[in-house]
Amino acid sequence: MNNRKQHVIQMAHQLFIERGFQSTSIQDILEYSGISKGTFYNYFSSKNELLIALFKSLYESMESSRNELLIGQDPSNLDIFVKQIEFQMNTNKKNKLITLFEEVFVSTDEELKNFLKAGQMRMLNWVFHRFIELFGEEKRPYLLDSSIMFLGMLHHNVKYYSIANGASADIYPVVRYTVDRIVNIVNGASESGDQLNTPDQMNSWLPDAMRSEQDFQDKLYQTIQTLKEKLVPKLNHAKSIQLLDFVQDELLHSKKPRKFLIESVLLSFRNDEMLDQKAVETLSGLVERYFERVAEACEESTD
């Protein structure tokens, strides 16, 4: 995104916060950002498209920073998850996103509503797969239900905690409390075998592009788990396990995965007789597919 277009988005964001989205006209945006009507329509076909561009810009920045908190960390560490959620909630607060969300949902604009609903599904999908990392594959049957409950609990806990303690109150106690409660819920559902929604339902809720991304992540995780199953840390396999974790971490959590390092690791895997070479080839194919998608995205952004 060029600097001038980003400037218009930032100026519009300030107006939306101060006046509200519905009360801000395109003329207001033109005057506040210092651009002509022709320049505006060169960037955006409507005020709605500008708002969607604003949300996308904030989402991408937030998701990138949120994922960076995982780099080099144990994905099963609850404290890291707490930090990720705390960061996201503070980002929402800083950018007044909840106010904008609420204004969109009471509007009659279906395009904006559908965009936000897709964003909610993206968040639910992220929490669901983080829960798999946190609680283990064996508890997967109960983790979609738990993800839905977690997000509902978090939303209402933040709302009433803010009413009781003021909008500027530290969000950390709310996040920590809610995460601790969901641990008990996951364990309770696992022990009782209670299930409301099956995890497969998540795929039918996702837009096609998001489903493709999730398919890649699931196949990557499954392939790496297959390779790990035949390795025993005590039998000099600790290094191979660390390298498998490195590849997964680079592709799923790194802002700029280092292709040359990943290819070097794959080369060492092909020379390792203790590894399932069929699974190594599958992993190589997934890596190749990943960087092809990155290249395609770069080409589209420069068009």
Side-chain angles (χ1 to χ4, degrees), residues 9-231:
I9 291 174
Q10 290 172 350
M11 294 298 100
H13 187 193
Q14 291 180 24
L15 287 175
F16 295 158
I17 291 172
E18 294 171 6
R19 305 180 187 182
F21 174 71
Q22 299 296 344
S23 299
T24 299
S25 68
I26 290 179
Q27 186 60 40
D28 292 331
I29 296 169
L30 299 182
E31 293 174 0
Y32 196 62
S33 59
I35 63 167
S36 67
K37 183 177 290 188
T39 300
F40 178 90
Y41 284 107
N42 184 49
Y43 294 146
F44 313 104
S45 63
S46 65
K47 189 174 69 167
N48 285 0
E49 187 177 312
L50 187 156
L51 182 62
I52 289 174
L54 166 63
F55 284 144
K56 284 182 176 179
S57 176
L58 293 173
Y59 283 167
E60 288 171 4
S61 176
M62 182 277 297
E63 289 178 355
S64 176
S65 297
R66 183 186 65 192
N67 290 340
E68 284 179 2
L69 293 172
L70 256 181
I71 296 175
Q73 303 294 330
D74 180 359
S76 66
N77 186 334
L78 272 175
D79 291 336
I80 300 300
F81 179 68
V82 169
K83 288 181 180 178
Q84 289 181 300
I85 296 297
E86 181 187 14
F87 173 80
Q88 176 156 341
M89 300 304 292
N90 282 328
T91 298
N92 288 348
K93 182 191 292 187
K94 176 184 176 182
N95 292 288
K96 310 291 185 183
L97 289 186
I98 302 303
T99 302
L100 285 175
F101 292 161
E102 290 174 346
E103 191 172 0
V104 168
F105 276 121
V106 298
S107 75
T108 57
D109 193 294
E110 291 303 315
E111 179 188 18
L112 289 175
K113 286 183 177 181
N114 289 334
F115 178 79
L116 290 192
K117 287 176 182 176
Q120 290 177 329
M121 285 301 168
R122 188 180 186 91
M123 180 62 183
L124 176 61
N125 184 57
W126 178 78
V127 171
F128 171 60
H129 283 86
R130 283 294 285 118
F131 275 13
I132 293 173
E133 293 178 324
L134 290 165
F135 299 109
E137 188 68 30
E138 67 278 4
K139 292 184 179 175
R140 176 189 278 262
Y142 317 101
L143 296 181
L144 179 55
D145 289 335
S146 299
S147 300
I148 294 169
M149 286 187 282
F150 171 74
L151 292 173
M153 289 164 54
L154 183 65
H155 172 75
H156 287 286
N157 285 344
V158 167
K159 177 180 178 179
Y160 291 105
Y161 188 81
S162 297
I163 292 173
N165 298 280
S168 61
D170 182 12
I171 206 74
Y172 173 81
V174 186
V175 177
R176 182 82 253 183
Y177 177 87
T178 309
V179 169
D180 289 344
R181 299 291 74 74
I182 206 66
V183 171
N184 295 331
I185 289 173
V186 170
N187 291 333
S190 178
E191 290 173 7
S192 65
D194 290 338
Q195 186 184 46
L196 187 61
N197 296 289
T198 64
D200 292 342
Q201 186 65 46
M202 187 74 252
N203 286 331
S204 67
W205 294 343
L206 294 173
D208 290 342
M210 203 182 301
R211 191 179 304 124
S212 176
E213 178 183 340
Q214 195 55 63
D215 285 344
F216 167 79
Q217 293 181 10
D218 287 344
K219 288 177 182 176
L220 177 66
Y221 179 82
Q222 291 167 6
T223 301
I224 286 179
Q225 287 302 112
T226 297
L227 287 163
K228 281 184 176 181
E229 284 172 2
K230 294 186 178 180
L231 299 175

